[in-house]
Amino acid sequence: MNVIIVEDDDLMADPLETVVAGLHPALRVFKAFTVSEALDLWRSRAPGLFVIDWSLPDGTGLDVLRKIRAADKNMPVVMVTGRADRDSILKAAHYGISGYISKPFSVEMLHERLSGMLKAVLPEDTSVETLAEMLSRKLESGLQIPTRMDVSGILGLMERAQDLSGGQLAERWQKEASLCARLLEVANRSSFRRTGEPVATVRDAISVMGVPMALSQALALALDTGSSFRSPALAQSARHHQAQAEAVGSEAQKLALVLGKKALEFQTAGLLSRMGELAVLNVMDQFVQQGGELTEGDIENGLREWAKQYGNTLKVQWRLPLAIRQMSGAVHYLAREDVRQNLLIMRVAGLIAGGQAENPECSRLLRHLGLEDWLESRKKTSDTGSG
């Protein structure tokens, strides 16, 4: 059964999609951001359920509801809105609303309310969906990773990093408690201390580290998904892949700086290099929540077979610039004849972060970059510092 979520705010649409998609394997979720998009999907997808926000860019959820009710009196339609006053509820009730959920809502409450409504419209006798079937279905119906923040929004900020000030970011992030804490912690590390005085405000923290690094920290936090998984094994795998992505970003940044390049896009590409794995793990977690069982082999095979497809789909879905797409892909594979410097940097970063600094491919690529002695000199510096 098709479900259409009509919500113009990604921060609300993503959790709604997560909850709805996890309710039943027979559900396919489609998202619309405007009244016109919602009506187009209604006509083309023949949904069995609508979840509609009240306020939309080109009208209201009531506009969608009126059109639906003119043709279908029985389709379940749930209104999700910050309006909880009596007049608003009565307006929705007048058009035959099936349910009314007020923002802010908890995931548990949303799950409970929607589960009750869907019992009446979903077939009870459905075959059990295999993991491969679920991975295939999710790839077609829209992907996500359980992010703490809006990844696409942060990527948009990165594209115009040179036009942003620390004050603008501090104001934008003032309600993001976990990010504010992370920025203060990073700014107060010994490598950032200049005066011996601790940094006390987020604005000062961004000033100390600079806008590019602050944005990288925000992206890293947004992609830190380990705590979002219910399955311990999948949570551990997610933390591993996130750590790998951060390591690639760090190595790519070091290489870029040595070669006189701006480090932000290299660090960004590194941080995004495991998003396919994280998206696959998210689907696996939904599979487990629905009663499925996974072995370590199942997890490894699923990642090997699906991570690349999921990663490529997310790159398009997040509208990543072509350069970043190619750079994040080069972390995993680069054709021998491809000698574009930015891609060489990313492949070397991927090899080093993966513990393959001694790999002949790594040595060959470093020679192409004119850095054949770089690893050895870095090791000597590290040994001297530790001594």
Side-chain angles (χ1 to χ4, degrees):
M1 186 182 81
N2 294 335
V3 179
I4 297 176
I5 294 173
V6 190
E7 169 62 71
D8 68 323
D9 184 351
D10 284 332
L11 292 177
M12 298 300 298
D14 288 346
L16 281 170
E17 182 180 12
T18 299
V19 171
V20 172
L23 290 172
H24 196 283
L27 297 179
R28 297 183 65 188
V29 181
F30 299 88
K31 290 191 290 188
F33 302 94
T34 64
V35 170
S36 59
E37 288 179 5
L39 295 176
D40 286 343
L41 281 175
W42 173 48
R43 298 181 185 104
S44 63
R45 297 293 180 180
L49 171 68
F50 257 96
V51 181
I52 308 175
D53 185 34
W54 187 293
S55 300
L56 298 168
D58 58 343
T60 71
L62 289 181
D63 296 328
V64 180
L65 181 58
R66 277 194 291 266
K67 290 283 188 179
I68 293 172
R69 286 294 176 247
D72 188 334
K73 304 295 184 184
N74 300 315
M75 181 191 299
V77 179
V78 179
M79 187 73 74
V80 180
T81 176
R83 297 169 179 252
D85 59 281
R86 182 173 180 274
D87 287 345
S88 297
I89 294 173
L90 289 175
K91 281 183 180 179
H94 176 73
Y95 291 103
I97 204 76
S98 308
Y100 196 93
I101 299 175
S102 297
K103 299 177 185 177
F105 54 79
S106 68
V107 171
E108 292 76 14
M109 181 271 285
L110 186 66
H111 188 282
E112 181 181 344
R113 295 285 298 279
L114 292 179
S115 294
M117 294 175 191
L118 286 169
K119 284 181 180 178
V121 294
L122 281 173
E124 293 184 7
D125 185 21
T126 57
S127 58
V128 177
E129 189 175 33
T130 67
L131 175 61
E133 289 169 340
M134 179 178 282
L135 285 165
S136 178
R137 174 171 60 83
K138 293 290 187 179
L139 188 63
E140 295 176 1
S141 62
L143 300 181
Q144 59 181 296
I145 56 177
T147 57
R148 299 186 183 187
M149 299 175 63
D150 176 19
V151 174
S152 59
I154 295 171
L155 292 171
L157 292 174
M158 285 181 154
E159 290 183 13
R160 52 191 184 90
Q162 60 186 13
D163 300 323
L164 296 172
S165 68
Q168 289 172 315
L169 287 182
E171 182 177 356
R172 185 185 186 96
W173 292 337
Q174 60 182 330
K175 295 183 180 179
E176 300 288 349
S178 56
L179 176 57
C180 290
R182 184 180 185 125
L183 294 174
L184 287 167
E185 188 270 329
V186 171
N188 277 309
R189 288 177 188 166
S190 58
S191 59
F192 283 104
R193 290 179 185 144
R194 299 289 183 268
T195 64
E197 296 294 326
V199 174
T201 70
V202 173
R203 183 169 186 163
D204 288 343
I206 297 173
S207 177
V208 166
M209 69 179 67
V211 167
M213 179 168 279
L215 289 167
S216 292
Q217 291 295 326
L219 183 60
L221 182 65
L223 293 170
D224 184 3
T225 62
S227 61
S228 302
F229 291 88
R230 298 187 184 182
S231 163
L234 295 173
Q236 181 179 359
S237 182
R239 285 191 291 268
H240 166 74
H241 286 290
Q242 177 61 21
Q244 281 291 297
E246 293 187 14
V248 172
S250 176
E251 295 295 344
Q253 181 186 38
K254 294 172 186 175
L255 285 161
L257 291 173
V258 168
L259 292 169
K261 294 177 174 288
K262 293 182 178 179
L264 181 59
E265 65 176 338
F266 293 90
Q267 190 171 24
T268 300
L271 290 172
L272 294 171
S273 63
R274 293 294 190 280
M275 58 186 178
E277 285 82 354
L278 295 176
V280 170
L281 290 170
N282 185 42
V283 174
M284 289 181 176
D285 198 51
Q286 294 177 28
F287 178 75
V288 171
Q289 289 178 45
Q290 293 178 9
E293 296 183 359
L294 295 175
T295 65
E296 288 187 13
D298 293 330
I299 296 173
E300 292 175 5
N301 291 335
L303 288 169
R304 183 170 56 251
E305 294 177 14
W306 294 92
K308 183 177 179 180
Q309 295 179 69
Y310 270 55
N312 289 337
T313 300
L314 280 172
K315 290 175 186 179
V316 174
Q317 186 173 308
W318 287 348
R319 299 180 179 87
L320 293 181
L322 179 60
I324 295 294
R325 298 184 201 180
Q326 294 174 334
M327 288 166 67
S328 64
V331 171
H332 306 284
Y333 171 79
L334 185 64
R336 188 179 181 89
E337 62 273 14
D338 196 333
V339 293
R340 285 175 287 179
Q341 192 176 55
N342 287 0
L343 304 190
L344 294 176
I345 290 172
M346 296 309 303
R347 180 58 182 154
V348 170
L351 290 168
I352 295 173
Q356 300 184 62
E358 304 300 323
N359 188 310
E361 181 187 6
C362 188
S363 300
R364 176 177 63 81
L365 296 178
L366 283 169
R367 284 196 300 273
H368 273 298
L369 291 169
L371 298 175
E372 52 264 43
D373 299 323
W374 179 67
L375 280 177
E376 188 62 31
S377 62
R378 190 173 78 162
K379 182 179 178 182
K380 289 179 181 179
T381 301
S382 175
D383 292 342
T384 302
S386 61

